[in-house]
Amino acid sequence: MMDDAIRSIHAMEILDSRGNPTLAVQLELADGSAVVSRVPSGASTGAHEAVELRDHDKARYGGKGVLKAIDHVNTIIAPALKGMSATDQVAIDQRMIEMDGDPQKARLGANAILSVSLAVAAAGAHSRRQPLYRYLGGLNAALLPVPLLNVLNGGAHADNNVDIQEFMLVPVGASTFREAMQMAQETYQALKSLLQAKGLRTAVGDEGGFAPDLESNREALDLLVEAMEKAHVKPGEDMVLALDVAATELKKDDGYQFEGQLLTGMQLIDYYQLLVRDYPIISIEDGLSEDDWDHWQLLTDRLGDRIQLVGDDLFVTNPERIARGIDEASANAVLIKPNQIGTVTETLEAIRLARSAGWNAVVSHRSGETEDTMIADLAVGVNGGQIKTGAPARGERIAKYNRLLTIEQSDSALTYAGWEAFRR
Ligand SMILES: O=C(O)[C@@H](CO)OP(=O)(O)O
Ligand SMILES: [Mg+2]
């Protein structure tokens, strides 16, 4: 047996940051080295995402168990991959895709497949004695990503009257990743004291952002600009803002339920245009719903030369949907979540495709996360330039930021992407 041959794969149940069960995989190579991978889980999931397999035993965790997925790894996937080389990522992923046979990976489960795919990548890097980002990106990996830090929450991620799901700080003007995190942390703390001074709630949502009861989306944006100023961070220069509207969650009949009114797609686009005029917004994710291709095209036509328009639910990290988006000029960037598609190979393909059209690729966490830091390495490895992984709070989000801080301080060949990340 070669040193990097897979000796064993073992899946087990662990908890995600919401306390719901997810799975971890321990993979051992012939040389005795072992790695662990852990799979995240979304709340505002897109209908076109690959299928996350959960069992329906309501007695266990309200039906959110993952016993089926675990069983599929241990009894179907593990025996099939035993003996294969961990550096054969493409062949292994292909094998799992074929064994599943369903376009949305509904048979074995995308979470089952991803847990193994991630472990194989980690093991491949280990056997080559390279950090994961270097293994994934080779010499091409040169950039530390700009963090998009979700510090204010609404929508499906919070229990308040704000419709936009995520308001993110983007410290583009920093000169290092470390400085970017410091700037974000100081603004986050300034925001907290502003909320306290106004008698507003400072409890945090799933991703560590605050979820105060505000009157409007504009009130949230005003607060963020005020927080920057309080932290001596210059809006529009040191730091800009990004939004994830998660508009699929707002879809109602033919329109969008937004700030107490039913708006048409066109009215929503007009609204974004005014927001972009009034605030230092650099990026809007999921401004429209997952099947509203026509309005996506109109939005991109209207704002695409000024800001980044990111498809999350629209593309679900799926190369086929991204190809359609490129064809129809539906957006100019794609959100990359490995668990939306289920394998490392397809994730890399999605990024390559986006890049070939001159689009940006934003590597992202899920709202239900674990301490796994693979996405930090992925963002560096593919020179993504941007990573979205929550507030500078909560251990599972900090784990990714800490991984990036560690990478920055241990590899002098890398530089902070800064404004460069948004140039197309
Ligand atoms: O909508 C999103 O972009 C994500 C992550 O912030 O949320 P979820 O994982 O719930 O889909
Ligand atoms: Mg999103």
Side-chain angles (χ1 to χ4, degrees):
M1 250 195 186
M2 295 166 304
D3 279 359
D4 67 354
I6 295 172
R7 181 198 283 166
S8 69
I9 296 174
H10 185 66
M12 56 203 110
E13 180 175 308
I14 59 166
L15 301 180
D16 71 15
S17 53
R18 279 190 276 256
N20 289 328
T22 183
L23 70 166
V25 152
Q26 194 163 28
L27 187 153
E28 236 182 73
L29 296 180
D31 66 7
S33 55
V35 294
V36 177
S37 70
R38 303 165 190 88
V39 173
S41 175
S44 57
T45 49
H48 307 286
E49 291 190 18
V51 176
E52 178 188 41
L53 213 60
R54 291 178 179 270
D55 60 70
H56 301 289
D57 179 358
K58 288 266 187 291
R60 294 187 91 250
Y61 304 108
K64 288 183 174 168
V66 287
L67 296 179
K68 272 188 203 157
I70 290 169
D71 184 56
H72 289 170
V73 172
N74 291 336
T75 62
I76 303 173
I77 299 176
L81 302 187
K82 204 172 166 181
M84 287 181 84
S85 160
T87 51
D88 269 350
Q89 184 83 44
V90 176
I92 290 174
D93 287 346
Q94 195 51 43
R95 182 87 190 269
M96 291 193 286
I97 290 166
E98 281 160 16
M99 281 197 299
D100 188 285
D102 178 80
Q104 281 188 282
K105 303 185 177 69
R107 208 174 76 81
L108 296 175
N111 47 348
I113 293 176
L114 183 69
S115 67
V116 175
S117 187
L118 293 177
V120 165
H126 192 275
S127 75
R128 291 265 169 91
R129 291 179 176 72
Q130 284 180 319
L132 182 55
Y133 68 89
R134 198 50 80 198
Y135 174 68
L136 292 172
L139 288 175
N140 215 23
L143 292 177
L144 283 150
V146 175
L148 278 63
L149 304 105
N150 173 13
V151 296
L152 242 173
N153 289 198
H157 284 189
D159 199 6
N160 59 14
N161 296 322
V162 181
D163 297 310
I164 295 178
Q165 178 177 287
E166 301 170 23
F167 296 80
M168 292 170 273
L169 304 178
V170 188
V172 267
S175 49
T176 61
F177 182 78
R178 196 161 131 245
E179 190 186 315
M181 288 309 296
Q182 184 184 340
M183 232 183 237
Q185 174 60 11
E186 284 168 8
T187 308
Y188 179 75
Q189 292 303 336
L191 178 62
K192 184 172 184 177
S193 36
L194 278 178
L195 294 174
Q196 278 164 341
K198 290 176 201 278
L200 290 163
R201 243 188 340 179
T202 53
V204 297
D206 285 348
E207 300 182 3
F210 301 114
D213 260 320
L214 304 174
E215 291 304 313
S216 67
N217 295 293
R218 276 183 180 264
E219 194 187 348
L221 289 161
D222 288 333
L223 269 169
L224 291 176
V225 172
E226 210 183 324
M228 285 186 216
E229 283 159 354
K230 193 170 154 58
H232 307 290
V233 166
K234 288 196 202 77
E237 216 173 292
D238 296 329
M239 189 179 275
V240 288
L241 297 171
L243 306 177
D244 178 5
V245 182
T248 303
E249 306 285 322
L250 307 173
K251 194 84 176 106
K252 200 173 163 231
D253 308 323
D254 273 352
Y256 294 87
Q257 190 66 43
F258 196 80
E259 298 200 327
Q261 284 177 292
L262 191 66
L263 300 187
T264 63
M266 218 49 221
Q267 287 172 315
L268 206 49
I269 293 171
D270 291 340
Y271 174 83
Y272 296 144
Q273 185 163 23
L274 294 179
L275 281 193
V276 169
R277 182 197 65 188
D278 298 341
Y279 298 95
I281 294 170
I282 202 166
S283 176
I284 299 179
E285 174 185 332
D286 280 359
L288 296 154
S289 81
E290 61 196 354
D291 289 311
D292 197 354
W293 292 93
D294 294 346
H295 284 109
W296 269 100
Q297 200 173 35
L298 293 167
L299 172 65
T300 303
D301 193 45
R302 182 87 69 84
L303 290 176
D305 57 354
R306 270 199 281 160
I307 61 165
Q308 175 174 276
L309 299 163
V310 191
D312 171 12
D313 288 354
L314 180 69
F315 297 132
V316 291
T317 318
N318 184 323
E320 279 173 34
R321 292 182 69 91
I322 297 168
R324 172 170 176 189
I326 291 169
D327 244 24
E328 298 181 11
S330 310
N332 58 29
V334 58
L335 201 75
I336 297 292
K337 292 169 168 168
N339 85 324
Q340 283 181 327
I341 185 73
T343 64
V344 171
T345 302
E346 290 161 292
T347 302
L348 293 173
E349 190 188 331
I351 295 169
R352 263 197 307 275
L353 189 58
R355 286 296 179 65
S356 71
W359 288 18
N360 289 335
V362 184
V363 173
S364 169
H365 66 163
R366 298 307 306 242
S367 52
E369 265 295 334
T370 73
E371 64 274 35
D372 200 283
T373 57
M374 185 272 179
I375 58 163
D377 282 75
L378 180 65
V380 176
V382 301
N383 260 347
Q386 298 177 48
I387 189 167
K388 161 174 152 162
T389 189
R394 294 189 59 129
E396 74 281 2
R397 318 290 151 184
I398 291 289
K400 281 73 165 171
Y401 292 128
N402 277 347
R403 173 68 185 145
L404 290 165
L405 286 166
T406 308
I407 293 175
E408 177 170 70
Q409 290 166 80
S410 61
D411 190 337
S412 59
L414 302 170
T415 53
Y416 181 60
W419 284 104
E420 197 59 43
F422 293 90
R423 217 160 278 148
R424 279 186 307 275

